[in-house]
Amino acid sequence: MLITADTIATGAELLRSGWIEIADGRVRALGAGAPPRPADRDLGAVTIVPGFVDMHVHGGGGGAFPEATVAASKAAVELHRRHGTTTMIASLVTAYPDELLRQVEVLAEQVQEGLVAGIHLEGPWLSGRRCGAHDPAALRDPDPVELDRVLNAGRGAIRMVTLAPERDGGPAAIRRIVDAGAVAAIGHTDATYEQALAAIDAGATVATHLFNAMRPVHHREPGPVIALIEDPRVTVEMITDGVHLHPALYRDVTANVGPDRVSLVTDAMAAAGMADGAYRLGALDVDVQGGVARVAGTDTIAGSTATMDQVFRYAVTHSGRPWADAVAAAVRQSSVNPARVLGLPDPTLAPGAAADLVVLDDGLAVTGVLNRGAWAVRPV
Protein backbone atom coordinates (compact mmCIF):
# COMPACT_ATOMS: atom_id res chain seq x y z
CA MET A 1 0.00 0.00 0.00
CA LEU A 2 1.30 3.43 -0.96
CA ILE A 3 -0.38 6.54 0.46
CA THR A 4 0.31 10.23 -0.13
CA ALA A 5 -0.48 13.32 1.94
CA ASP A 6 0.26 17.03 2.02
CA THR A 7 2.47 16.67 5.12
CA ILE A 8 4.15 13.80 6.91
CA ALA A 9 5.69 14.55 10.31
CA THR A 10 7.91 11.51 10.76
CA GLY A 11 9.21 12.33 14.23
CA ALA A 12 12.55 13.32 12.74
CA GLU A 13 11.50 15.71 9.94
CA LEU A 14 8.58 17.23 8.07
CA LEU A 15 8.00 15.94 4.55
CA ARG A 16 5.91 18.13 2.28
CA SER A 17 3.87 16.39 -0.42
CA GLY A 18 4.97 13.19 1.23
CA TRP A 19 4.41 9.51 0.51
CA ILE A 20 4.69 6.30 2.51
CA GLU A 21 4.87 2.76 1.20
CA ILE A 22 3.71 0.06 3.62
CA ALA A 23 4.08 -3.71 3.38
CA ASP A 24 3.71 -6.54 5.91
CA GLY A 25 2.77 -4.13 8.68
CA ARG A 26 5.91 -2.03 8.34
CA VAL A 27 7.11 1.09 6.59
CA ARG A 28 9.00 0.00 3.47
CA ALA A 29 9.94 3.47 2.19
CA LEU A 30 8.88 7.11 2.39
CA GLY A 31 9.87 10.46 1.00
CA ALA A 32 8.82 13.89 -0.24
CA GLY A 33 7.70 14.85 -3.70
CA ALA A 34 6.56 12.46 -6.41
CA PRO A 35 6.08 8.86 -5.21
CA PRO A 36 7.88 6.00 -7.00
CA ARG A 37 4.55 4.74 -8.39
CA PRO A 38 0.91 5.90 -8.41
CA ALA A 39 -0.57 6.06 -4.91
CA ASP A 40 -3.11 3.50 -3.80
CA ARG A 41 -4.65 6.24 -1.67
CA ASP A 42 -4.15 10.01 -1.92
CA LEU A 43 -5.25 11.36 1.45
CA GLY A 44 -4.98 14.96 0.29
CA ALA A 45 -4.79 17.94 2.64
CA VAL A 46 -3.95 16.06 5.82
CA THR A 47 -1.01 15.64 8.16
CA ILE A 48 0.30 12.16 8.97
CA VAL A 49 2.07 11.64 12.30
CA PRO A 50 3.42 8.55 14.08
CA GLY A 51 0.96 6.61 16.22
CA PHE A 52 0.67 8.12 19.68
CA VAL A 53 2.41 6.42 22.62
CA ASP A 54 0.61 6.97 25.93
CA MET A 55 2.85 6.05 28.86
CA HIS A 56 0.27 6.95 31.52
CA VAL A 57 -3.34 5.83 30.99
CA HIS A 58 -5.69 4.09 33.44
CA GLY A 59 -8.57 3.34 31.09
CA GLY A 60 -11.21 4.61 28.72
CA GLY A 61 -14.36 3.60 26.89
CA GLY A 62 -15.88 2.52 30.20
CA GLY A 63 -13.04 0.08 30.95
CA ALA A 64 -10.28 0.52 33.52
CA PHE A 65 -6.97 -1.33 33.63
CA PRO A 66 -7.16 -1.74 37.45
CA GLU A 67 -10.19 -3.99 36.87
CA ALA A 68 -7.63 -6.42 35.39
CA THR A 69 -10.03 -8.15 33.02
CA VAL A 70 -9.70 -8.73 29.30
CA ALA A 71 -13.02 -6.98 28.65
CA ALA A 72 -12.03 -3.84 30.57
CA SER A 73 -8.60 -3.64 28.93
CA LYS A 74 -10.01 -4.19 25.45
CA ALA A 75 -12.58 -1.43 25.96
CA ALA A 76 -9.83 1.00 26.96
CA VAL A 77 -7.47 -0.04 24.17
CA GLU A 78 -10.15 0.19 21.50
CA LEU A 79 -11.30 3.64 22.62
CA HIS A 80 -7.81 5.11 22.68
CA ARG A 81 -6.80 3.43 19.44
CA ARG A 82 -9.69 5.18 17.66
CA HIS A 83 -8.11 8.41 18.86
CA GLY A 84 -4.66 7.57 17.53
CA THR A 85 -2.94 5.78 20.41
CA THR A 86 -1.34 2.72 18.87
CA THR A 87 0.89 1.94 21.87
CA MET A 88 -0.11 2.29 25.50
CA ILE A 89 1.05 1.33 28.96
CA ALA A 90 -1.63 0.08 31.36
CA SER A 91 -1.45 2.22 34.48
CA LEU A 92 -2.62 0.89 37.83
CA VAL A 93 -3.48 2.83 40.97
CA THR A 94 -2.82 2.20 44.64
CA ALA A 95 -4.15 -1.15 45.87
CA TYR A 96 -3.63 -3.48 48.82
CA PRO A 97 -0.89 -6.13 48.41
CA ASP A 98 -2.99 -9.12 47.34
CA GLU A 99 -5.07 -7.09 44.88
CA LEU A 100 -1.96 -5.43 43.42
CA LEU A 101 -0.39 -8.84 42.79
CA ARG A 102 -3.57 -10.08 41.10
CA GLN A 103 -3.71 -7.03 38.84
CA VAL A 104 -0.06 -7.34 37.84
CA GLU A 105 -0.36 -11.06 37.10
CA VAL A 106 -3.43 -10.55 34.88
CA LEU A 107 -2.01 -7.55 33.03
CA ALA A 108 1.31 -9.33 32.50
CA GLU A 109 -0.60 -11.90 30.47
CA GLN A 110 -2.16 -9.11 28.41
CA VAL A 111 1.30 -7.68 27.75
CA GLN A 112 2.52 -11.08 26.53
CA GLU A 113 -0.54 -11.28 24.25
CA GLY A 114 0.25 -7.83 22.82
CA LEU A 115 -2.89 -6.06 24.02
CA VAL A 116 -0.83 -3.44 25.89
CA ALA A 117 2.89 -2.66 25.79
CA GLY A 118 3.58 -2.78 29.50
CA ILE A 119 2.42 -2.00 33.03
CA HIS A 120 2.83 1.21 34.99
CA LEU A 121 2.51 1.03 38.77
CA GLU A 122 1.31 4.40 40.03
CA GLY A 123 1.42 3.58 43.71
CA PRO A 124 1.04 2.27 46.32
CA TRP A 125 4.31 3.85 47.48
CA LEU A 126 3.09 7.45 47.33
CA SER A 127 2.82 10.43 49.67
CA GLY A 128 -0.24 10.68 51.87
CA ARG A 129 -0.05 14.46 51.57
CA ARG A 130 -0.11 14.35 47.75
CA CYS A 131 -2.13 11.19 47.13
CA GLY A 132 -4.71 12.79 44.79
CA ALA A 133 -7.13 10.10 43.58
CA HIS A 134 -5.40 7.25 45.42
CA ASP A 135 -6.84 5.42 48.39
CA PRO A 136 -4.94 6.95 51.36
CA ALA A 137 -5.61 3.91 53.54
CA ALA A 138 -3.66 1.68 51.13
CA LEU A 139 -0.55 3.86 50.84
CA ARG A 140 2.60 2.41 52.34
CA ASP A 141 6.40 2.48 52.34
CA PRO A 142 8.17 0.45 49.64
CA ASP A 143 8.96 -2.79 51.45
CA PRO A 144 11.77 -4.65 49.62
CA VAL A 145 10.00 -8.02 49.94
CA GLU A 146 6.76 -6.70 48.48
CA LEU A 147 8.57 -4.81 45.74
CA ASP A 148 10.44 -7.94 44.66
CA ARG A 149 7.24 -9.97 44.74
CA VAL A 150 5.44 -7.47 42.51
CA LEU A 151 8.33 -7.11 40.06
CA ASN A 152 8.63 -10.89 39.80
CA ALA A 153 4.88 -11.24 39.21
CA GLY A 154 5.22 -8.83 36.29
CA ARG A 155 7.69 -11.15 34.52
CA GLY A 156 9.36 -8.22 32.82
CA ALA A 157 6.09 -6.50 31.87
CA ILE A 158 6.39 -3.69 34.42
CA ARG A 159 7.82 -0.76 32.46
CA MET A 160 7.51 2.03 35.04
CA VAL A 161 6.90 2.52 38.75
CA THR A 162 5.87 5.88 40.22
CA LEU A 163 6.74 6.47 43.87
CA ALA A 164 7.36 9.24 46.38
CA PRO A 165 11.10 9.11 47.09
CA GLU A 166 10.77 10.70 50.54
CA ARG A 167 9.02 7.60 51.91
CA ASP A 168 11.17 5.29 54.03
CA GLY A 169 13.18 3.11 51.68
CA GLY A 170 12.44 5.31 48.66
CA PRO A 171 15.97 5.64 47.21
CA ALA A 172 16.67 1.92 47.72
CA ALA A 173 13.38 1.09 45.97
CA ILE A 174 14.37 3.28 43.02
CA ARG A 175 17.63 1.40 42.65
CA ARG A 176 15.79 -1.94 42.84
CA ILE A 177 13.27 -0.84 40.18
CA VAL A 178 16.02 0.28 37.83
CA ASP A 179 18.04 -2.90 38.42
CA ALA A 180 14.93 -4.88 37.42
CA GLY A 181 14.88 -3.10 34.05
CA ALA A 182 11.96 -0.78 34.76
CA VAL A 183 11.82 3.01 34.85
CA ALA A 184 11.55 4.74 38.22
CA ALA A 185 9.36 7.84 38.23
CA ILE A 186 8.89 10.54 40.85
CA GLY A 187 5.30 11.49 41.51
CA HIS A 188 2.56 12.05 44.10
CA THR A 189 5.36 13.42 46.21
CA ASP A 190 6.01 15.92 48.97
CA ALA A 191 9.77 15.60 48.50
CA THR A 192 12.10 18.50 49.07
CA TYR A 193 14.41 19.73 46.35
CA GLU A 194 17.30 17.79 47.92
CA GLN A 195 15.25 14.59 48.23
CA ALA A 196 14.26 14.83 44.58
CA LEU A 197 17.91 15.31 43.56
CA ALA A 198 18.87 12.23 45.56
CA ALA A 199 16.11 10.23 43.85
CA ILE A 200 17.38 11.26 40.42
CA ASP A 201 20.90 10.28 41.41
CA ALA A 202 19.49 6.91 42.54
CA GLY A 203 18.15 6.37 39.02
CA ALA A 204 14.74 8.05 38.66
CA THR A 205 14.31 9.36 35.10
CA VAL A 206 10.63 10.39 34.83
CA ALA A 207 8.46 13.04 36.49
CA THR A 208 4.92 11.71 36.75
CA HIS A 209 2.46 14.41 35.59
CA LEU A 210 4.73 17.33 36.46
CA PHE A 211 3.18 19.87 38.89
CA ASN A 212 0.13 17.73 39.63
CA ALA A 213 0.19 15.96 43.03
CA MET A 214 3.60 17.46 43.82
CA ARG A 215 4.84 19.86 46.45
CA PRO A 216 4.49 23.26 44.75
CA VAL A 217 7.40 25.56 43.96
CA HIS A 218 8.30 28.00 46.73
CA HIS A 219 10.97 30.66 46.49
CA ARG A 220 12.79 29.32 49.57
CA GLU A 221 12.07 25.62 48.95
CA PRO A 222 11.89 24.87 45.22
CA GLY A 223 10.69 21.33 45.84
CA PRO A 224 10.72 18.46 43.33
CA VAL A 225 9.43 20.40 40.32
CA ILE A 226 12.57 22.49 39.88
CA ALA A 227 14.87 19.53 40.53
CA LEU A 228 13.07 17.52 37.85
CA ILE A 229 13.12 20.34 35.32
CA GLU A 230 16.80 21.12 35.91
CA ASP A 231 18.20 17.62 35.42
CA PRO A 232 18.73 16.60 31.77
CA ARG A 233 18.34 12.93 32.71
CA VAL A 234 14.65 13.40 33.47
CA THR A 235 11.69 13.23 31.07
CA VAL A 236 8.68 15.17 32.38
CA GLU A 237 5.10 14.05 31.79
CA MET A 238 2.58 16.83 31.13
CA ILE A 239 -1.21 16.44 30.89
CA THR A 240 -2.10 19.11 28.33
CA ASP A 241 -5.87 18.61 28.51
CA GLY A 242 -6.87 22.16 29.46
CA VAL A 243 -7.71 21.03 33.00
CA HIS A 244 -4.52 19.87 34.71
CA LEU A 245 -2.16 22.63 33.56
CA HIS A 246 -2.28 26.26 32.47
CA PRO A 247 -0.91 26.47 28.91
CA ALA A 248 1.74 28.95 30.05
CA LEU A 249 3.33 26.15 32.09
CA TYR A 250 3.52 23.91 29.04
CA ARG A 251 5.18 26.70 27.05
CA ASP A 252 7.59 27.58 29.85
CA VAL A 253 8.65 24.01 30.59
CA THR A 254 9.13 23.16 26.92
CA ALA A 255 11.16 26.32 26.41
CA ASN A 256 13.37 25.37 29.37
CA VAL A 257 13.88 21.65 28.83
CA GLY A 258 13.37 21.45 25.06
CA PRO A 259 10.94 19.24 23.12
CA ASP A 260 12.94 16.06 23.71
CA ARG A 261 12.33 15.92 27.48
CA VAL A 262 8.55 16.42 27.54
CA SER A 263 6.13 13.51 27.26
CA LEU A 264 2.46 14.26 26.68
CA VAL A 265 0.16 11.87 28.57
CA THR A 266 -3.58 11.56 29.14
CA ASP A 267 -3.74 10.05 32.66
CA ALA A 268 -7.16 8.99 31.35
CA MET A 269 -9.57 6.93 33.42
CA ALA A 270 -12.58 4.82 32.41
CA ALA A 271 -14.72 7.87 31.57
CA ALA A 272 -12.57 8.87 28.58
CA GLY A 273 -14.82 8.79 25.54
CA MET A 274 -17.90 8.36 27.72
CA ALA A 275 -20.72 10.57 29.03
CA ASP A 276 -20.65 12.43 32.32
CA GLY A 277 -21.66 10.33 35.31
CA ALA A 278 -20.41 8.09 38.11
CA TYR A 279 -17.29 5.95 37.63
CA ARG A 280 -14.60 4.17 39.65
CA LEU A 281 -10.85 4.63 39.74
CA GLY A 282 -9.39 1.80 41.73
CA ALA A 283 -11.13 1.80 45.10
CA LEU A 284 -12.49 5.35 44.80
CA ASP A 285 -15.78 6.68 43.43
CA VAL A 286 -15.36 9.34 40.76
CA ASP A 287 -17.88 11.87 39.45
CA VAL A 288 -17.45 13.29 35.95
CA GLN A 289 -19.11 16.61 35.19
CA GLY A 290 -18.38 18.66 32.10
CA GLY A 291 -15.74 16.10 31.14
CA VAL A 292 -13.74 16.74 34.35
CA ALA A 293 -13.22 13.77 36.68
CA ARG A 294 -13.10 14.36 40.45
CA VAL A 295 -13.08 12.10 43.48
CA ALA A 296 -16.71 11.93 44.56
CA GLY A 297 -17.65 14.65 47.04
CA THR A 298 -14.34 16.51 46.66
CA ASP A 299 -12.57 18.96 44.36
CA THR A 300 -9.67 16.52 43.82
CA ILE A 301 -9.04 15.80 40.13
CA ALA A 302 -9.13 12.06 39.42
CA GLY A 303 -7.18 11.53 36.25
CA SER A 304 -8.68 12.82 33.02
CA THR A 305 -11.19 12.02 30.30
CA ALA A 306 -8.72 13.05 27.58
CA THR A 307 -7.40 11.13 24.61
CA MET A 308 -3.97 11.57 23.02
CA ASP A 309 -5.29 13.43 19.99
CA GLN A 310 -6.79 15.96 22.38
CA VAL A 311 -3.57 16.57 24.33
CA PHE A 312 -1.61 16.67 21.04
CA ARG A 313 -3.97 19.26 19.58
CA TYR A 314 -3.92 21.34 22.77
CA ALA A 315 -0.11 21.32 22.84
CA VAL A 316 0.13 22.48 19.23
CA THR A 317 -2.55 25.16 19.66
CA HIS A 318 -1.03 26.58 22.85
CA SER A 319 2.66 26.21 22.03
CA GLY A 320 3.14 29.80 20.88
CA ARG A 321 5.24 28.48 17.98
CA PRO A 322 4.77 28.50 14.22
CA TRP A 323 2.57 25.61 13.10
CA ALA A 324 5.31 23.45 11.60
CA ASP A 325 7.55 23.82 14.66
CA ALA A 326 4.65 23.16 17.02
CA VAL A 327 3.61 19.99 15.19
CA ALA A 328 7.18 18.69 15.03
CA ALA A 329 7.62 19.24 18.78
CA ALA A 330 4.26 17.67 19.65
CA VAL A 331 5.09 14.60 17.56
CA ARG A 332 8.23 14.03 19.58
CA GLN A 333 6.37 14.64 22.83
CA SER A 334 3.46 12.33 22.01
CA SER A 335 5.35 9.45 20.36
CA VAL A 336 9.14 9.54 20.23
CA ASN A 337 9.94 10.67 23.78
CA PRO A 338 7.67 8.29 25.72
CA ALA A 339 8.83 5.34 23.62
CA ARG A 340 12.47 6.27 24.19
CA VAL A 341 12.25 6.69 27.96
CA LEU A 342 10.39 3.38 28.37
CA GLY A 343 12.68 1.45 26.03
CA LEU A 344 9.92 0.75 23.51
CA PRO A 345 10.54 0.49 19.74
CA ASP A 346 11.16 3.86 18.10
CA PRO A 347 7.84 5.00 16.55
CA THR A 348 9.52 7.43 14.14
CA LEU A 349 8.18 6.81 10.64
CA ALA A 350 11.19 5.35 8.85
CA PRO A 351 11.98 2.27 6.74
CA GLY A 352 11.60 -0.84 8.88
CA ALA A 353 9.44 0.81 11.56
CA ALA A 354 6.01 -0.52 12.49
CA ALA A 355 3.32 1.01 10.28
CA ASP A 356 1.57 2.88 13.11
CA LEU A 357 0.35 6.30 12.04
CA VAL A 358 -2.41 8.83 12.56
CA VAL A 359 -4.09 10.93 9.88
CA LEU A 360 -5.09 14.42 11.05
CA ASP A 361 -7.21 16.99 9.24
CA ASP A 362 -6.40 20.70 9.14
CA GLY A 363 -7.92 21.10 12.62
CA LEU A 364 -5.76 18.21 13.89
CA ALA A 365 -8.78 15.95 14.37
CA VAL A 366 -8.26 12.24 13.72
CA THR A 367 -9.58 11.04 10.37
CA GLY A 368 -7.61 7.80 10.12
CA VAL A 369 -5.51 5.43 12.24
CA LEU A 370 -3.21 2.76 10.85
CA ASN A 371 -2.15 0.12 13.38
CA ARG A 372 0.53 -2.39 12.30
CA GLY A 373 -0.41 -1.72 8.69
CA ALA A 374 -4.17 -2.21 9.10
CA TRP A 375 -6.73 0.58 9.26
CA ALA A 376 -8.20 0.82 12.76
CA VAL A 377 -9.97 3.97 11.58
CA ARG A 378 -10.30 4.13 7.81
CA PRO A 379 -10.03 7.62 6.27
CA VAL A 380 -13.21 8.73 4.55
Side-chain angles (χ1 to χ4, degrees):
M1 174 172 60
L2 191 149
I3 57 178
T4 55
D6 277 6
T7 303
I8 300 174
T10 68
E13 59 182 334
L14 282 177
L15 304 176
R16 300 294 190 179
S17 299
W19 56 270
I20 304 179
E21 186 174 14
I22 294 160
D24 300 323
R26 296 199 168 270
V27 176
R28 174 177 289 176
L30 75 170
R37 61 179 176 83
D40 298 301
R41 187 72 184 272
D42 179 9
L43 298 178
V46 300
T47 297
I48 292 176
V49 300
F52 301 131
V53 179
D54 194 350
M55 63 186 284
H56 189 158
V57 52
H58 299 280
F65 292 122
E67 294 178 44
T69 66
V70 172
S73 294
K74 281 186 174 179
V77 169
E78 289 171 4
L79 179 280
H80 288 289
R81 186 167 292 155
R82 291 197 300 271
H83 289 269
T85 300
T86 54
T87 302
M88 70 191 72
I89 302 299
S91 295
L92 297 176
V93 293
T94 294
Y96 287 99
D98 289 346
E99 175 62 7
L100 179 62
L101 272 179
R102 184 192 74 83
Q103 293 169 342
V104 168
E105 288 169 351
V106 171
L107 288 173
E109 292 288 340
Q110 296 177 9
V111 173
Q112 289 188 342
E113 293 165 2
L115 184 60
V116 291
I119 302 168
H120 165 213
L121 305 183
E122 189 180 22
W125 308 297
L126 309 176
S127 165
R129 296 190 64 184
R130 309 288 176 187
C131 62
H134 289 258
D135 182 1
L139 298 175
R140 50 196 182 271
D141 293 329
D143 174 70
V145 174
E146 182 188 22
L147 182 57
D148 281 348
R149 187 179 298 125
V150 172
L151 291 169
N152 290 335
R155 291 173 290 161
I158 295 174
R159 288 278 181 175
M160 184 165 71
V161 180
T162 295
L163 76 165
E166 72 274 16
R167 293 205 72 117
D168 288 346
I174 289 170
R175 288 189 287 269
R176 176 68 188 93
I177 290 162
V178 173
D179 286 346
V183 169
I186 298 172
H188 287 273
T189 178
D190 200 45
T192 64
Y193 175 79
E194 288 76 17
Q195 287 170 325
L197 289 180
I200 297 167
D201 285 338
T205 53
V206 168
T208 294
H209 45 51
L210 189 71
F211 296 105
N212 295 112
M214 285 187 180
R215 177 194 287 240
V217 177
H218 187 277
H219 56 283
R220 286 189 293 272
E221 168 43 62
V225 171
I226 300 302
L228 293 162
I229 289 174
E230 282 184 331
D231 199 298
R233 294 171 289 184
V234 177
T235 296
V236 297
E237 292 182 354
M238 302 193 81
I239 311 171
T240 52
D241 64 345
V243 175
H244 282 78
L245 293 172
H246 192 283
L249 286 175
Y250 169 69
R251 290 193 294 272
D252 183 71
V253 170
T254 302
N256 274 283
V257 308
D260 292 334
R261 284 183 52 210
V262 173
S263 178
L264 304 181
V265 298
T266 62
D267 195 15
M269 44 86 70
M274 304 292 286
D276 287 357
Y279 295 87
R280 298 274 291 180
L281 181 57
L284 302 183
D285 292 323
V286 175
D287 289 333
V288 178
Q289 296 183 14
V292 180
R294 290 188 172 88
V295 176
T298 76
D299 291 329
T300 301
I301 295 175
S304 85
T305 62
T307 50
M308 282 297 289
D309 58 326
Q310 179 183 339
V311 299
F312 179 94
R313 187 163 52 248
Y314 190 93
V316 172
T317 303
H318 293 86
S319 69
R321 297 179 173 196
W323 184 89
D325 292 344
V327 167
V331 166
R332 298 196 65 77
Q333 295 165 353
S334 61
S335 296
V336 178
N337 298 349
R340 183 194 66 243
V341 74
L342 293 183
L344 297 171
D346 186 354
T348 301
L349 297 176
D356 292 340
L357 58 85
V358 186
V359 183
L360 304 170
D361 66 15
D362 58 2
L364 298 180
V366 174
T367 62
V369 179
L370 198 69
N371 181 225
R372 301 301 189 267
W375 290 110
V377 176
R378 187 175 294 275
V380 295

